[in-house]
Amino acid sequence: MNNLEKFLSRSVQSVPPSGIRKFFDIVSEMKDALSLGVGEPDFVTPWSIREMGIYSIEEGHTHYTSNYGLLELRKEISNYLKRRFNLDYPNYRDQILVTVGASEAIDIALRSIINPGDEVLIPEPCFVSYKPCTIFAGGVPVAVPTKAENDFKLRPEDIISKITPRTKALILSYPNNPTGAIMTREDLKELVDVLKDKDIIVISDEIYAELTYEGDHVSVANFPEMKDKTILINGFSKAFAMTGWRLGFVAANEVFIKAMAKVHQYIIMSAPTFSQYAAIEALRNGEAEVEKMREEYNRRRRYMVSRFNKMGLECFEPKGAFYVFPSIKSTGLSSEEFAEKLLYQQKVAVVPGTAFGSCGEGFIRCSYAYSLETIKEALDRIEKFVKSLKCPNENQEIQKNSVVVEQ
Protein backbone atom coordinates (compact mmCIF):
# COMPACT_ATOMS: atom_id res chain seq x y z
CA MET A 1 0.00 0.00 0.00
CA ASN A 2 1.29 3.42 -0.97
CA ASN A 3 2.09 5.39 2.18
CA LEU A 4 0.05 8.31 0.87
CA GLU A 5 -3.14 6.24 0.81
CA LYS A 6 -3.47 6.67 4.58
CA PHE A 7 -4.51 10.25 3.88
CA LEU A 8 -7.46 9.24 1.69
CA SER A 9 -11.08 9.36 2.80
CA ARG A 10 -12.34 6.00 4.01
CA SER A 11 -15.60 6.46 2.16
CA VAL A 12 -13.76 7.11 -1.12
CA GLN A 13 -11.49 4.12 -0.55
CA SER A 14 -14.50 1.90 0.11
CA VAL A 15 -16.01 2.56 -3.33
CA PRO A 16 -14.65 0.48 -6.23
CA PRO A 17 -14.06 2.01 -9.67
CA SER A 18 -17.01 1.95 -12.05
CA GLY A 19 -17.72 -1.51 -13.40
CA ILE A 20 -18.59 0.01 -16.76
CA ARG A 21 -15.05 1.18 -17.42
CA LYS A 22 -13.23 -2.10 -16.83
CA PHE A 23 -13.30 -3.36 -20.41
CA PHE A 24 -13.08 -0.09 -22.28
CA ASP A 25 -9.44 0.64 -21.60
CA ILE A 26 -8.75 -2.72 -23.24
CA VAL A 27 -11.10 -2.01 -26.14
CA SER A 28 -9.41 1.31 -26.85
CA GLU A 29 -6.15 -0.52 -27.52
CA MET A 30 -7.58 -3.60 -29.27
CA LYS A 31 -7.49 -3.69 -33.05
CA ASP A 32 -10.86 -4.17 -34.79
CA ALA A 33 -12.77 -4.22 -31.50
CA LEU A 34 -16.42 -3.14 -31.34
CA SER A 35 -18.18 -1.74 -28.30
CA LEU A 36 -21.84 -1.87 -27.32
CA GLY A 37 -21.02 -0.57 -23.90
CA VAL A 38 -21.11 3.21 -23.89
CA GLY A 39 -24.36 4.98 -23.00
CA GLU A 40 -23.81 7.97 -25.26
CA PRO A 41 -25.75 8.99 -28.38
CA ASP A 42 -23.85 8.37 -31.61
CA PHE A 43 -25.56 11.43 -33.07
CA VAL A 44 -23.83 14.79 -33.17
CA THR A 45 -25.63 17.62 -31.37
CA PRO A 46 -28.10 19.13 -33.89
CA TRP A 47 -26.60 22.04 -35.81
CA SER A 48 -28.94 24.79 -34.64
CA ILE A 49 -28.02 23.96 -31.03
CA ARG A 50 -24.30 23.95 -31.81
CA GLU A 51 -24.68 27.19 -33.72
CA MET A 52 -26.33 28.90 -30.76
CA GLY A 53 -23.51 27.79 -28.46
CA ILE A 54 -20.94 29.17 -30.92
CA TYR A 55 -22.90 32.40 -31.37
CA SER A 56 -23.11 32.96 -27.64
CA ILE A 57 -19.31 32.83 -27.42
CA GLU A 58 -18.95 35.17 -30.39
CA GLU A 59 -21.34 37.57 -28.67
CA GLY A 60 -19.09 37.59 -25.60
CA HIS A 61 -21.29 35.57 -23.24
CA THR A 62 -18.26 34.14 -21.47
CA HIS A 63 -18.94 35.11 -17.87
CA TYR A 64 -20.63 33.37 -14.95
CA THR A 65 -24.39 33.23 -14.89
CA SER A 66 -26.58 33.23 -11.81
CA ASN A 67 -25.88 30.23 -9.56
CA TYR A 68 -29.35 29.01 -10.48
CA GLY A 69 -28.68 29.35 -14.23
CA LEU A 70 -29.89 31.80 -16.84
CA LEU A 71 -33.39 32.97 -16.00
CA GLU A 72 -34.34 32.64 -19.67
CA LEU A 73 -33.27 28.99 -19.64
CA ARG A 74 -35.13 28.24 -16.42
CA LYS A 75 -38.27 29.71 -17.97
CA GLU A 76 -37.82 27.49 -21.04
CA ILE A 77 -37.32 24.43 -18.82
CA SER A 78 -40.57 25.27 -17.01
CA ASN A 79 -42.38 25.60 -20.34
CA TYR A 80 -40.84 22.37 -21.63
CA LEU A 81 -41.85 20.33 -18.58
CA LYS A 82 -45.41 21.57 -18.88
CA ARG A 83 -45.60 21.09 -22.66
CA ARG A 84 -44.03 17.63 -22.82
CA PHE A 85 -44.93 15.99 -19.50
CA ASN A 86 -47.72 18.11 -17.98
CA LEU A 87 -45.50 19.00 -15.01
CA ASP A 88 -46.13 22.37 -13.37
CA TYR A 89 -43.15 24.36 -12.07
CA PRO A 90 -44.38 27.90 -12.77
CA ASN A 91 -42.13 29.57 -10.21
CA TYR A 92 -39.05 28.89 -12.33
CA ARG A 93 -36.96 31.44 -10.42
CA ASP A 94 -37.08 29.30 -7.28
CA GLN A 95 -38.19 25.85 -8.46
CA ILE A 96 -35.57 25.12 -11.12
CA LEU A 97 -31.79 24.84 -10.84
CA VAL A 98 -29.41 24.35 -13.79
CA THR A 99 -26.58 21.91 -13.08
CA VAL A 100 -23.47 20.47 -14.68
CA GLY A 101 -25.23 17.46 -16.09
CA ALA A 102 -27.78 15.25 -14.38
CA SER A 103 -24.85 13.64 -12.55
CA GLU A 104 -24.20 16.78 -10.51
CA ALA A 105 -27.91 17.03 -9.83
CA ILE A 106 -27.96 13.51 -8.35
CA ASP A 107 -24.93 14.31 -6.19
CA ILE A 108 -26.21 17.58 -4.75
CA ALA A 109 -29.74 16.24 -4.28
CA LEU A 110 -28.35 13.54 -2.01
CA ARG A 111 -25.96 15.88 -0.23
CA SER A 112 -28.79 18.32 0.41
CA ILE A 113 -31.08 15.87 2.19
CA ILE A 114 -28.88 13.14 3.71
CA ASN A 115 -27.70 13.12 7.31
CA PRO A 116 -25.14 10.52 8.47
CA GLY A 117 -26.77 7.12 8.67
CA ASP A 118 -29.85 7.98 6.63
CA GLU A 119 -30.89 5.14 4.33
CA VAL A 120 -31.52 5.54 0.61
CA LEU A 121 -33.52 2.89 -1.24
CA ILE A 122 -31.89 2.15 -4.59
CA PRO A 123 -33.73 -0.19 -6.97
CA GLU A 124 -31.29 -2.42 -8.85
CA PRO A 125 -30.05 -2.96 -11.50
CA CYS A 126 -29.29 0.76 -11.59
CA PHE A 127 -27.01 3.50 -12.85
CA VAL A 128 -23.59 3.05 -11.28
CA SER A 129 -23.44 6.47 -9.58
CA TYR A 130 -26.33 6.15 -7.14
CA LYS A 131 -24.63 3.98 -4.53
CA PRO A 132 -21.29 5.87 -4.48
CA CYS A 133 -23.02 9.27 -4.34
CA THR A 134 -25.10 8.05 -1.39
CA ILE A 135 -21.96 6.90 0.42
CA PHE A 136 -20.12 10.15 -0.32
CA ALA A 137 -23.09 12.04 1.16
CA GLY A 138 -22.84 10.01 4.38
CA GLY A 139 -25.88 7.88 3.66
CA VAL A 140 -26.43 4.14 3.64
CA PRO A 141 -27.43 2.65 0.28
CA VAL A 142 -30.09 -0.07 0.52
CA ALA A 143 -30.37 -2.23 -2.58
CA VAL A 144 -33.89 -3.07 -3.72
CA PRO A 145 -33.66 -5.85 -6.34
CA THR A 146 -36.11 -5.79 -9.24
CA LYS A 147 -36.92 -8.89 -11.26
CA ALA A 148 -36.90 -9.87 -14.92
CA GLU A 149 -40.30 -11.53 -14.53
CA ASN A 150 -41.68 -8.09 -13.62
CA ASP A 151 -39.89 -6.48 -16.59
CA PHE A 152 -37.59 -4.87 -14.00
CA LYS A 153 -40.36 -2.56 -12.80
CA LEU A 154 -40.27 -1.53 -9.15
CA ARG A 155 -43.18 -3.20 -7.37
CA PRO A 156 -44.70 -2.04 -4.06
CA GLU A 157 -43.76 -5.31 -2.38
CA ASP A 158 -40.13 -4.74 -3.37
CA ILE A 159 -39.83 -1.62 -1.21
CA ILE A 160 -42.23 -2.28 1.67
CA SER A 161 -39.88 -4.71 3.39
CA LYS A 162 -36.93 -2.35 2.91
CA ILE A 163 -38.47 0.72 4.55
CA THR A 164 -37.19 1.43 8.06
CA PRO A 165 -37.36 4.43 10.43
CA ARG A 166 -34.04 5.53 8.89
CA THR A 167 -35.27 5.57 5.31
CA LYS A 168 -34.86 9.10 3.96
CA ALA A 169 -35.16 8.72 0.19
CA LEU A 170 -35.96 6.50 -2.75
CA ILE A 171 -34.10 6.91 -6.05
CA LEU A 172 -36.48 6.21 -8.91
CA SER A 173 -34.92 5.90 -12.37
CA TYR A 174 -37.30 5.24 -15.25
CA PRO A 175 -36.81 4.81 -18.14
CA ASN A 176 -34.10 2.70 -16.62
CA ASN A 177 -30.40 2.37 -17.21
CA PRO A 178 -29.36 -0.48 -17.67
CA THR A 179 -32.58 -2.42 -18.33
CA GLY A 180 -34.62 -0.07 -20.52
CA ALA A 181 -37.63 -0.70 -18.29
CA ILE A 182 -40.35 1.92 -17.91
CA MET A 183 -43.06 2.57 -15.33
CA THR A 184 -46.60 3.28 -16.55
CA ARG A 185 -49.02 5.54 -14.72
CA GLU A 186 -50.67 2.44 -13.26
CA ASP A 187 -47.29 1.11 -12.06
CA LEU A 188 -46.44 4.42 -10.42
CA LYS A 189 -49.85 4.71 -8.79
CA GLU A 190 -49.20 1.50 -6.87
CA LEU A 191 -45.92 2.93 -5.56
CA VAL A 192 -47.54 6.26 -4.72
CA ASP A 193 -50.11 4.45 -2.59
CA VAL A 194 -47.21 3.12 -0.50
CA LEU A 195 -45.19 6.34 -0.37
CA LYS A 196 -47.75 9.13 -0.09
CA ASP A 197 -48.15 8.95 3.70
CA LYS A 198 -44.47 8.30 4.46
CA ASP A 199 -41.71 10.83 5.08
CA ILE A 200 -39.66 9.62 2.15
CA ILE A 201 -38.26 11.88 -0.56
CA VAL A 202 -38.24 10.55 -4.12
CA ILE A 203 -35.26 11.50 -6.27
CA SER A 204 -36.62 10.84 -9.75
CA ASP A 205 -33.89 10.57 -12.40
CA GLU A 206 -35.72 11.12 -15.69
CA ILE A 207 -32.78 11.71 -18.01
CA TYR A 208 -34.24 9.22 -20.53
CA ALA A 209 -37.81 10.60 -20.38
CA GLU A 210 -37.80 11.59 -24.06
CA LEU A 211 -36.66 8.12 -25.09
CA THR A 212 -39.90 6.29 -24.38
CA TYR A 213 -41.17 4.08 -27.21
CA GLU A 214 -44.65 3.04 -26.08
CA GLY A 215 -47.04 5.56 -24.60
CA ASP A 216 -46.06 8.81 -22.94
CA HIS A 217 -43.53 9.16 -20.16
CA VAL A 218 -45.14 9.64 -16.75
CA SER A 219 -43.33 11.10 -13.75
CA VAL A 220 -44.01 10.39 -10.10
CA ALA A 221 -44.23 14.19 -9.83
CA ASN A 222 -47.39 14.02 -11.95
CA PHE A 223 -49.17 12.74 -8.83
CA PRO A 224 -50.25 15.75 -6.73
CA GLU A 225 -49.68 13.92 -3.44
CA MET A 226 -46.03 13.29 -4.40
CA LYS A 227 -45.01 16.48 -6.18
CA ASP A 228 -43.66 18.36 -3.15
CA LYS A 229 -41.74 15.27 -2.02
CA THR A 230 -40.16 14.66 -5.42
CA ILE A 231 -36.82 16.01 -6.65
CA LEU A 232 -37.06 15.69 -10.43
CA ILE A 233 -33.79 15.40 -12.35
CA ASN A 234 -33.37 15.66 -16.11
CA GLY A 235 -30.92 17.03 -18.65
CA PHE A 236 -29.84 17.47 -22.23
CA SER A 237 -27.25 14.73 -22.73
CA LYS A 238 -29.37 11.83 -23.93
CA ALA A 239 -32.40 13.27 -25.71
CA PHE A 240 -30.60 16.18 -27.39
CA ALA A 241 -27.26 14.37 -27.93
CA MET A 242 -25.46 16.94 -25.78
CA THR A 243 -23.28 14.74 -23.55
CA GLY A 244 -20.18 16.92 -23.91
CA TRP A 245 -22.05 20.12 -23.11
CA ARG A 246 -22.54 18.94 -19.49
CA LEU A 247 -25.92 20.41 -18.71
CA GLY A 248 -28.75 19.15 -16.55
CA PHE A 249 -31.44 20.56 -14.31
CA VAL A 250 -33.50 19.95 -11.20
CA ALA A 251 -37.14 20.84 -10.67
CA ALA A 252 -38.46 20.65 -7.12
CA ASN A 253 -40.09 22.48 -4.25
CA GLU A 254 -38.36 25.75 -3.38
CA VAL A 255 -37.09 24.29 -0.09
CA PHE A 256 -35.06 21.61 -1.89
CA ILE A 257 -33.88 23.92 -4.67
CA LYS A 258 -32.60 26.48 -2.17
CA ALA A 259 -30.64 23.80 -0.32
CA MET A 260 -29.23 22.30 -3.52
CA ALA A 261 -28.28 25.74 -4.83
CA LYS A 262 -26.25 26.26 -1.67
CA VAL A 263 -24.15 23.16 -2.37
CA HIS A 264 -24.00 23.99 -6.08
CA GLN A 265 -22.74 27.55 -5.55
CA TYR A 266 -19.85 26.41 -3.37
CA ILE A 267 -18.64 23.52 -5.53
CA ILE A 268 -19.55 24.63 -9.07
CA MET A 269 -20.62 28.31 -9.12
CA SER A 270 -22.66 27.93 -12.30
CA ALA A 271 -23.07 25.64 -15.29
CA PRO A 272 -21.16 26.53 -18.51
CA THR A 273 -22.63 29.68 -20.00
CA PHE A 274 -22.41 28.74 -23.68
CA SER A 275 -24.08 25.40 -22.90
CA GLN A 276 -26.99 27.23 -21.30
CA TYR A 277 -27.55 29.34 -24.39
CA ALA A 278 -27.39 26.22 -26.54
CA ALA A 279 -29.96 24.56 -24.26
CA ILE A 280 -32.39 27.43 -24.78
CA GLU A 281 -32.26 26.73 -28.50
CA ALA A 282 -32.66 22.98 -27.87
CA LEU A 283 -35.86 23.52 -25.89
CA ARG A 284 -37.32 26.04 -28.31
CA ASN A 285 -36.51 24.38 -31.61
CA GLY A 286 -34.95 20.97 -31.03
CA GLU A 287 -37.92 18.66 -30.55
CA ALA A 288 -38.14 17.66 -34.22
CA GLU A 289 -34.53 16.49 -34.06
CA VAL A 290 -35.27 14.57 -30.87
CA GLU A 291 -38.11 12.79 -32.66
CA LYS A 292 -35.81 11.79 -35.53
CA MET A 293 -33.28 10.33 -33.10
CA ARG A 294 -36.00 8.57 -31.13
CA GLU A 295 -37.32 6.92 -34.31
CA GLU A 296 -33.85 5.67 -35.20
CA TYR A 297 -33.24 4.35 -31.67
CA ASN A 298 -36.58 2.57 -31.86
CA ARG A 299 -35.58 0.88 -35.12
CA ARG A 300 -32.32 -0.32 -33.57
CA ARG A 301 -34.11 -1.39 -30.38
CA ARG A 302 -36.48 -3.70 -32.23
CA TYR A 303 -33.66 -5.18 -34.28
CA MET A 304 -31.43 -5.85 -31.29
CA VAL A 305 -34.16 -7.47 -29.19
CA SER A 306 -35.13 -9.72 -32.11
CA ARG A 307 -31.53 -10.79 -32.74
CA PHE A 308 -30.84 -11.66 -29.11
CA ASN A 309 -34.01 -13.74 -28.81
CA LYS A 310 -33.27 -15.55 -32.08
CA MET A 311 -29.77 -16.49 -30.94
CA GLY A 312 -31.18 -17.98 -27.76
CA LEU A 313 -30.41 -15.19 -25.30
CA GLU A 314 -33.78 -14.31 -23.80
CA CYS A 315 -34.37 -10.57 -23.90
CA PHE A 316 -37.46 -8.81 -22.58
CA GLU A 317 -38.61 -5.83 -24.59
CA PRO A 318 -37.22 -2.58 -23.16
CA LYS A 319 -39.56 0.32 -23.78
CA GLY A 320 -37.26 3.20 -22.88
CA ALA A 321 -33.69 4.55 -22.86
CA PHE A 322 -31.27 2.98 -25.39
CA TYR A 323 -30.23 -0.28 -23.76
CA VAL A 324 -31.20 -3.93 -23.90
CA PHE A 325 -30.55 -6.29 -21.01
CA PRO A 326 -30.49 -9.85 -22.35
CA SER A 327 -30.14 -12.89 -20.11
CA ILE A 328 -27.01 -14.98 -20.64
CA LYS A 329 -27.96 -17.58 -18.02
CA SER A 330 -28.43 -20.23 -20.71
CA THR A 331 -24.70 -20.13 -21.46
CA GLY A 332 -23.74 -21.27 -17.96
CA LEU A 333 -21.33 -18.35 -17.65
CA SER A 334 -21.44 -15.55 -15.12
CA SER A 335 -21.97 -12.04 -16.47
CA GLU A 336 -18.30 -11.21 -15.88
CA GLU A 337 -17.11 -14.40 -17.58
CA PHE A 338 -19.37 -13.87 -20.56
CA ALA A 339 -18.23 -10.28 -21.06
CA GLU A 340 -14.55 -11.14 -20.70
CA LYS A 341 -14.62 -14.18 -22.99
CA LEU A 342 -16.65 -12.30 -25.58
CA LEU A 343 -14.17 -9.45 -25.54
CA TYR A 344 -11.11 -11.61 -26.03
CA GLN A 345 -12.61 -14.15 -28.40
CA GLN A 346 -14.78 -11.94 -30.61
CA LYS A 347 -13.56 -8.44 -29.76
CA VAL A 348 -16.95 -7.11 -28.68
CA ALA A 349 -17.35 -5.14 -25.46
CA VAL A 350 -20.55 -5.34 -23.44
CA VAL A 351 -21.13 -4.50 -19.78
CA PRO A 352 -21.68 -7.29 -17.23
CA GLY A 353 -25.03 -6.93 -15.49
CA THR A 354 -23.25 -7.06 -12.13
CA ALA A 355 -21.81 -3.61 -12.81
CA PHE A 356 -25.31 -2.35 -11.97
CA GLY A 357 -25.88 -4.37 -8.81
CA SER A 358 -25.73 -7.99 -7.72
CA CYS A 359 -29.19 -8.76 -9.11
CA GLY A 360 -27.74 -8.02 -12.56
CA GLU A 361 -25.97 -11.39 -12.43
CA GLY A 362 -26.94 -13.47 -15.43
CA PHE A 363 -27.43 -10.44 -17.71
CA ILE A 364 -25.39 -8.11 -19.87
CA ARG A 365 -26.09 -4.54 -20.94
CA CYS A 366 -25.83 -3.62 -24.59
CA SER A 367 -26.39 -0.10 -25.88
CA TYR A 368 -28.02 0.60 -29.23
CA ALA A 369 -26.66 4.14 -29.33
CA TYR A 370 -24.50 2.99 -32.24
CA SER A 371 -25.04 2.83 -35.98
CA LEU A 372 -27.12 -0.08 -37.22
CA GLU A 373 -24.10 -1.27 -39.19
CA THR A 374 -22.02 -1.49 -36.01
CA ILE A 375 -24.85 -3.18 -34.14
CA LYS A 376 -25.30 -5.82 -36.87
CA GLU A 377 -21.60 -6.65 -36.93
CA ALA A 378 -21.37 -6.81 -33.14
CA LEU A 379 -24.43 -9.07 -32.93
CA ASP A 380 -23.01 -11.35 -35.62
CA ARG A 381 -19.91 -11.77 -33.48
CA ILE A 382 -21.97 -12.33 -30.32
CA GLU A 383 -24.04 -14.99 -32.10
CA LYS A 384 -20.85 -16.70 -33.26
CA PHE A 385 -19.57 -16.63 -29.68
CA VAL A 386 -22.81 -18.09 -28.29
CA LYS A 387 -22.71 -20.90 -30.87
CA SER A 388 -19.12 -21.66 -29.88
CA LEU A 389 -20.27 -22.18 -26.29
CA LYS A 390 -22.90 -24.67 -27.44
CA CYS A 391 -20.56 -26.50 -29.84
CA PRO A 392 -17.04 -25.96 -28.47
CA ASN A 393 -15.48 -28.67 -30.64
CA GLU A 394 -16.64 -26.99 -33.82
CA ASN A 395 -15.16 -23.60 -32.98
CA GLN A 396 -11.56 -22.88 -32.23
CA GLU A 397 -11.36 -20.58 -29.24
CA ILE A 398 -9.11 -17.59 -29.38
CA GLN A 399 -7.11 -17.55 -26.16
CA LYS A 400 -6.72 -14.37 -24.19
CA ASN A 401 -2.97 -14.28 -24.59
CA SER A 402 -3.25 -14.54 -28.38
CA VAL A 403 -5.07 -11.25 -28.82
CA VAL A 404 -2.94 -8.64 -30.57
CA VAL A 405 -3.15 -5.38 -28.69
CA GLU A 406 -1.85 -2.25 -30.33
CA GLN A 407 0.83 -0.45 -28.41
Side-chain angles (χ1 to χ4, degrees):
M1 176 175 165
N2 188 311
N3 191 48
L4 294 177
E5 290 185 6
K6 67 183 180 183
F7 296 108
L8 298 179
S9 158
R10 286 190 295 274
S11 64
V12 171
Q13 287 182 298
S14 72
V15 173
S18 168
I20 295 179
R21 306 308 309 176
K22 177 177 179 180
F23 297 101
F24 300 133
D25 290 339
I26 302 172
V27 170
S28 66
E29 298 180 349
M30 185 181 288
K31 186 178 180 181
D32 299 325
L34 297 175
S35 175
L36 296 180
V38 178
E40 177 175 29
D42 60 311
F43 300 102
V44 175
T45 305
W47 169 244
S48 70
I49 300 172
R50 285 181 279 149
E51 185 177 42
M52 181 57 71
I54 295 166
Y55 181 70
S56 73
I57 295 172
E58 291 177 337
E59 286 291 291
H61 298 303
T62 59
H63 302 283
Y64 294 129
T65 70
S66 157
N67 296 140
Y68 285 77
L70 290 169
L71 187 62
E72 187 179 5
L73 174 57
R74 285 181 278 153
K75 181 179 180 180
E76 289 300 330
I77 291 170
S78 174
N79 293 339
Y80 166 76
L81 290 174
K82 179 62 177 177
R83 180 174 71 249
R84 291 291 295 123
F85 308 116
N86 197 30
L87 291 164
D88 287 305
Y89 293 93
N91 183 13
Y92 51 85
R93 291 176 180 271
D94 301 312
Q95 293 180 316
I96 292 173
L97 173 67
V98 180
T99 59
V100 180
S103 294
E104 188 218 341
I106 293 163
D107 180 33
I108 64 175
L110 287 163
R111 285 206 259 177
S112 298
I113 65 172
I114 296 299
N115 292 310
D118 284 346
E119 295 175 352
V120 178
L121 304 182
I122 304 176
E124 293 184 347
C126 70
F127 180 48
V128 296
S129 291
Y130 299 149
K131 182 177 178 179
C133 285
T134 298
I135 293 171
F136 296 154
V140 178
V142 178
V144 183
T146 59
K147 303 176 181 67
E149 53 263 36
N150 294 329
D151 289 345
F152 295 104
K153 297 172 185 282
L154 183 63
R155 304 294 303 149
E157 58 268 24
D158 296 331
I159 62 171
I160 288 172
S161 64
K162 300 289 186 178
I163 295 173
T164 75
R166 302 222 59 153
T167 303
K168 173 63 75 70
L170 164 68
I171 297 180
L172 202 59
S173 178
Y174 290 93
N176 181 261
N177 172 13
T179 66
I182 65 168
M183 296 281 282
T184 65
R185 180 176 294 276
E186 292 72 25
D187 296 326
L188 287 171
K189 177 64 168 62
E190 293 183 26
L191 288 181
V192 169
D193 287 342
V194 173
L195 295 169
K196 63 184 180 181
D197 296 323
K198 292 183 168 51
D199 289 332
I200 296 175
I201 301 304
V202 176
I203 298 174
S204 189
D205 182 357
E206 302 182 22
I207 190 66
Y208 294 100
E210 285 284 7
L211 302 181
T212 300
Y213 306 107
E214 287 193 14
D216 295 324
H217 172 73
V218 181
S219 170
V220 68
N222 284 121
F223 293 83
E225 60 267 49
M226 290 301 299
K227 185 183 174 188
D228 278 345
K229 296 195 296 181
T230 298
I231 298 173
L232 186 151
I233 292 170
N234 206 325
F236 298 85
S237 292
K238 311 299 183 179
F240 294 94
M242 293 177 68
T243 51
W245 300 76
R246 305 313 304 132
L247 205 68
F249 61 85
V250 187
N253 182 278
E254 293 90 334
V255 171
F256 295 127
I257 292 296
K258 184 177 180 180
M260 293 175 70
K262 190 185 298 184
V263 181
H264 173 77
Q265 71 184 4
Y266 283 120
I267 65 171
I268 295 294
M269 183 67 74
S270 61
T273 302
F274 71 95
S275 297
Q276 294 190 54
Y277 279 101
I280 293 171
E281 170 63 19
L283 295 177
R284 286 178 177 169
N285 300 305
E287 288 181 24
E289 293 297 324
V290 172
E291 178 60 27
K292 290 178 185 177
M293 290 187 277
R294 181 166 49 241
E295 288 176 359
E296 177 59 22
Y297 288 136
N298 195 16
R299 186 164 73 106
R300 300 171 188 176
R301 175 185 72 97
R302 294 194 302 266
Y303 176 80
M304 189 176 273
V305 170
S306 175
R307 282 292 304 272
F308 273 120
N309 282 316
K310 285 178 180 177
M311 72 176 74
L313 299 183
E314 184 179 356
C315 185
F316 94 102
E317 183 184 0
K319 296 180 180 178
F322 41 53
Y323 308 103
V324 299
F325 204 61
S327 170
I328 50 89
K329 295 176 183 178
S330 62
T331 67
L333 299 176
S334 70
S335 297
E336 191 86 9
E337 290 169 339
F338 186 99
E340 185 168 325
K341 288 178 181 290
L342 175 64
L343 177 59
Y344 283 109
Q345 292 180 24
Q346 291 296 332
K347 298 185 181 180
V348 177
V350 298
V351 184
T354 47
F356 308 98
S358 59
C359 70
E361 181 58 80
F363 299 86
I364 56 171
R365 189 193 79 173
C366 298
S367 168
Y368 47 90
Y370 295 88
S371 71
L372 195 56
E373 180 182 10
T374 297
I375 291 170
K376 287 180 178 179
E377 173 62 24
L379 290 173
D380 286 344
R381 296 187 192 184
I382 294 173
E383 186 169 10
K384 183 178 179 182
F385 172 69
V386 171
K387 287 180 178 178
S388 77
L389 297 174
K390 295 177 181 177
C391 306
N393 294 331
E394 297 179 15
N395 296 273
Q396 182 179 4
E397 292 190 352
I398 301 172
Q399 300 300 319
K400 179 177 178 178
N401 59 10
S402 70
V403 174
V404 178
V405 178
E406 294 180 329
Q407 300 300 321

